[in-house]
Amino acid sequence: MAITTTRWNSAEHLKTEEDIQLYLEACLEESGDDPNVIIHAFSVIARAKNMTQLAKDSGLTREGLYKALSPDGNPSFATVTKVAKALGYKLTVQSVII
């Protein structure tokens, strides 16, 4: 008997703002030095919310937003900050004592 599987879609499991906050915090914690993890997290959150509305709120086109947040995308820091702000987040810097 063959096993049927479906592709995991994290966006389907982000139902509340708390879910989204915890998901983003986990991604930030686990990302290490890989900025692509954060870009992917924003992509998942954007799909969980409303990509069209996020595009409007960020001042980007819907197509541009999809491209920037795609695995092949290479968004500028300005784009990342626009997306973060449109999602209701502010990027900050915190000192790390080593």
Side-chain angles (χ1 to χ4, degrees):
M1 186 165 133
I3 297 174
T4 303
T5 61
T6 57
R7 189 177 176 116
W8 177 263
N9 183 353
S10 299
E12 292 176 1
H13 302 279
L14 301 178
K15 305 270 188 223
T16 67
E17 290 300 320
E18 182 181 15
D19 293 342
I20 292 169
Q21 177 76 29
L22 292 171
Y23 174 75
L24 185 56
E25 287 174 5
C27 289
L28 286 166
E29 192 172 305
E30 297 296 321
S31 68
D33 292 334
D34 187 357
N36 292 318
V37 173
I38 306 309
I39 302 306
H40 177 73
F42 280 162
S43 174
V44 170
I45 294 167
R47 286 185 286 117
K49 286 193 162 216
N50 181 322
M51 189 69 82
T52 301
Q53 187 60 49
L54 180 61
K56 289 178 186 176
D57 293 346
S58 65
L60 303 167
T61 65
R62 189 170 178 268
E63 295 78 18
L65 187 57
Y66 271 110
K67 183 178 178 182
L69 298 179
S70 75
D72 296 327
N74 188 16
S76 68
F77 186 72
T79 298
V80 172
T81 58
K82 286 178 186 179
V83 170
K85 185 176 180 182
L87 289 170
Y89 297 101
K90 177 174 74 171
L91 298 178
T92 61
V93 176
Q94 182 177 347
S95 176
V96 178
I97 299 171
I98 299 175

